[in-house]
Amino acid sequence: MRIVVLFKEVPDSFGDRELDLQTGLAVRAADEAVPDEISERALEVALTHAQAHPGVEVVVLGMGPAGAEATLRKGLALGADEAVHVVDDALAGADLTLTAETLAAALRHIGFDLVVAGDASSDGSGGVVPAMLAELLDVPQLTALSSVEISDGQVAGLRSADGTEVALSASLPSVISITEAFPEGRLATFKGIAAAKKKTVTKLSAADLGVDVADDSVPRSIMVSIAAQPARTAGVTISDQGDAGTLLAEYLMANGLV
Ligand SMILES: Cc1cc2nc3c(=O)[nH]c(=O)nc-3n(C[C@H](O)[C@H](O)[C@H](O)COP(=O)(O)OP(=O)(O)OC[C@H]3O[C@@H](n4cnc5c(N)ncnc54)[C@H](O)[C@@H]3O)c2cc1C
């Protein structure tokens, strides 16, 4: 069985994240880039299954700028067997549809029985790439799972919703997305880090995957404008001298709040 984990690189959420006010893209130099925590949890699901089932291959797949190779190497250090990096400057600023189209082409190219993704990334937070992939690949999808059981030819799991737990299953090949209910990823060992250095990260461009980035017959979402949020100003303090009610009413009326 071949499990492909969608392993996205994101700016470290513990640091200062920043968007470029010209391009709308994340400023990659602003802080350290790291594997998204939800991607690490997804990898943990795959590695735990692979450890208990010899012969199961785990592949980490990421689409991102050149520097994202380091994140995929972390995936190898944690125990993935292979890493695939879709990298192409033409894909910078890819919207959700182009990202899904490209990742779907990569998944067809490398082959998979099961795709494990996060339910939403911590930077883009689109939350739709896994569903788009299932549609494009014409396979079933189980979303937002809080537990997963993988067996020959099938994946099953629970989705928690409105105080209930919904049991779901699908035949393989399939795409699943998982939530933060799963445990955090493991730490890399020295042995894993050393082994990762000897492994190759396969590079694929849009052209390698037959993806036409410039195809304007496909609807794409376009950033219309981006601006910094106005700086917060101090609020108005009304101290009661017997006229606080009047002052409050005047303030609300002056600001169109009543
Ligand atoms: C050169 C280049 C520059 C890029 N710059 C940016 C950027 O500045 N900001 C940005 O947010 N994105 C960037 N991307 C990546 C891409 O545009 C986004 O990943 C995409 O729009 C998905 O949005 P999302 O994270 O909101 O998806 P969601 O639907 O929230 O993602 C859900 C899950 O899908 C999987 N997934 C999503 N995207 C990827 C990915 N790229 N690789 C692997 N797994 C993935 C993960 O498992 C994730 O948990 C860049 C890509 C390239 C090639």
Side-chain angles (χ1 to χ4, degrees):
M1 179 186 296
R2 194 162 164 82
I3 305 180
V4 181
V5 177
L6 298 186
F7 207 64
K8 187 180 178 189
E9 178 177 278
V10 297
D12 191 349
S13 55
F14 289 103
D16 289 330
R17 294 191 290 178
E18 202 185 312
L19 289 185
D20 184 311
L21 294 182
Q22 299 296 323
T23 62
L25 297 176
V27 179
R28 299 273 170 180
D31 218 323
E32 198 192 342
V34 293
D36 199 356
E37 209 181 288
I38 194 75
S39 288
E40 289 183 320
R41 290 174 202 253
L43 179 57
E44 189 60 37
V45 169
L47 292 176
T48 305
H49 181 74
Q51 270 176 337
H53 298 85
V56 172
E57 296 169 324
V58 177
V59 183
V60 280
L61 166 63
M63 168 178 143
E69 177 178 335
T71 280
L72 290 161
R73 281 211 179 272
K74 281 185 194 159
L76 290 172
L78 291 170
D81 302 292
E82 292 172 39
V84 179
H85 183 192
V86 179
V87 54
D88 193 325
D89 283 346
L91 289 166
D95 70 351
L96 288 157
T97 51
L98 180 56
T99 300
E101 190 185 329
T102 310
L103 288 175
L107 285 162
R108 274 190 220 102
H109 184 85
I110 63 182
F112 67 94
D113 295 294
L114 178 65
V115 177
V116 187
D119 57 347
S121 70
S122 68
D123 59 347
S125 320
V128 292
V129 165
M132 286 174 151
L133 287 176
E135 174 71 17
L136 290 167
L137 296 165
D138 198 18
V139 298
Q141 182 211 12
L142 306 181
T143 56
L145 298 181
S146 51
S147 73
V148 172
E149 249 177 66
I150 305 163
S151 53
D152 272 347
Q154 182 173 289
V155 59
L158 293 176
R159 183 199 296 141
S160 308
D162 296 331
T164 60
E165 283 196 323
V166 184
L168 301 157
S169 75
S171 56
L172 299 181
S174 189
V175 174
I176 63 168
S177 65
I178 59 124
T179 68
E180 292 193 342
F182 277 91
E184 285 178 17
R186 62 191 66 191
L187 295 174
T189 59
F190 285 118
K191 197 173 152 205
I193 295 167
K197 284 188 183 147
K198 294 188 196 129
K199 292 183 188 168
T200 311
V201 175
T202 304
K203 304 276 179 185
L204 294 170
S205 67
D208 292 334
L209 296 170
V211 173
D212 181 1
V213 177
D215 182 359
D216 57 13
S217 67
V218 182
R220 305 265 183 236
S221 49
I222 299 160
M223 184 186 70
V224 179
S225 70
I226 180 166
Q229 285 179 351
R232 292 180 69 177
T233 52
V236 175
T237 308
I238 296 173
S239 52
D240 189 13
Q241 310 291 331
D243 56 354
T246 309
L247 291 174
L248 183 58
E250 281 172 2
Y251 175 83
L252 293 174
M253 283 189 290
N255 288 281
L257 297 170
V258 287

